[in-house]
Amino acid sequence: MTWSEMQPLLEQACTETLVMVGWSTLIAVVGGLPLGILLVLTDKGGLLQNTVVNKVIGQIVNVGRSMPFIILMVALMNFTRWITGTTIGSEAAIVPLAIGGIPFFARLVETAVREVDGGLVEAVQSMGGNTWTIVRKVLVPESLPSLIASTTTTIIALIGYSAMAGTVGGGGLGDLAVRYGYQRFETGLMWITVAILAVVISVIQFAGDYAARSLHRRGARSGPGPKLRLLKAKEPDAAGVGKAA
């Protein structure tokens, strides 16, 4: 197979992979972020401590993470057909990709949020901040570098899932590698597909690491700003009490 024959196939496969991974990542982040934060808030000692809710959510996440993606695709065929009208193609593959990515990202979010300094949470609580304020002003901003790294890990995992989806007609680079590289013995095309996947993953990993490091350095240079501001906000009250005495 010549390059002129390979090029349109590679362009179409790359576009399909980009669409699958892009939409599934967006859905995974939108669904997994609140789920991961809720796992922290409802845990023992959390702001919304609720053992029953925490265990139910945790069990759902565990089941979603433990299921192999191929089995998940088969199990969701009827649901996928109901959503998209088909079980074949890149659009159909988005459904199991997104559902598989949500619990994966939720656990990473839970780990990232647990690393936030509890002193900041207590300081906001002492000033009358409610749960939503703590989540919006402390938990998410302070864990942002870790959340960026978690998103990068999720994107790379979904690229691997999308290649796996190609083996059962999901489209994309995985489908191209199987149909031409394996079934038609086009070894050159298969290795080009592997190289493209390797380059894409390396670029995404580099970009994610760079963004996470940049946010971390910026936070380190600015120091514990929220904490200091909260403490400074308390100083006039203390001074006022001293004058009154």
Side-chain angles (χ1 to χ4, degrees), residues 157-207:
L158 288 174
I159 291 175
Y161 289 168
S162 70
M164 207 180 302
T167 63
V168 290
L173 291 170
D175 178 58
L176 183 66
V178 170
R179 284 192 295 114
Y180 287 87
Y182 177 70
Q183 295 177 350
R184 302 187 186 184
F185 302 102
E186 294 288 348
T187 308
L189 180 60
M190 183 181 68
W191 283 113
I192 291 175
T193 303
V194 172
I196 291 173
L197 287 171
V199 170
V200 169
I201 288 174
S202 298
V203 170
I204 291 173
Q205 187 67 62
F206 174 80

Side-chain angles (χ1 to χ4, degrees), residues 216-230:
H216 184 73
R217 286 196 298 266
R218 187 180 303 173
R221 286 197 300 268
S222 61
K227 197 173 200 177
L228 291 176
R229 285 196 295 271
L230 288 168

Side-chain angles (χ1 to χ4, degrees), residues 11-168:
E11 289 177 354
Q12 181 181 356
C14 288
T15 301
E16 291 174 348
T17 298
L18 180 63
V19 170
M20 285 191 293
V21 174
W23 279 107
S24 57
T25 299
L26 178 61
I27 297 171
V29 170
V30 171
L33 181 61
L35 204 60
I37 293 174
L38 196 59
L39 282 169
V40 177
L41 296 178
T42 57
D43 200 6
K44 185 178 180 180
L47 299 173
L48 301 175
Q49 180 175 332
N50 191 315
T51 304
V52 175
V53 172
N54 184 266
K55 288 188 177 299
V56 169
I57 297 176
Q59 192 61 34
I60 293 173
V61 170
N62 289 339
V63 171
R65 286 190 63 195
S66 63
M67 189 173 295
F69 182 70
I70 289 292
I71 296 177
L72 182 64
M73 285 191 68
V74 175
L76 292 174
M77 276 188 175
N78 290 332
F79 181 71
T80 300
R81 185 181 291 108
W82 179 69
I83 294 292
T84 64
T86 182
T87 58
I88 299 175
S90 56
E91 291 183 2
I94 293 173
V95 177
L97 282 171
I99 293 177
I102 288 174
F104 183 86
F105 186 67
R107 281 300 183 192
L108 296 178
V109 170
E110 180 188 11
T111 302
V113 172
R114 288 190 188 279
E115 296 175 356
V116 175
D117 185 5
L120 293 175
V121 176
E122 293 175 1
V124 175
Q125 281 182 306
S126 67
M127 295 190 66
N130 56 24
T131 302
W132 171 244
T133 301
I134 292 172
V135 170
R136 189 166 53 93
K137 295 293 187 181
V138 179
L139 296 183
V140 173
E142 291 297 317
S143 61
L144 194 55
S146 296
L147 291 177
I148 295 295
S150 299
T151 304
T152 303
T153 303
T154 302
I155 294 173
I156 292 173
L158 288 174
I159 291 175
Y161 289 168
S162 70
M164 207 180 302
T167 63
V168 290

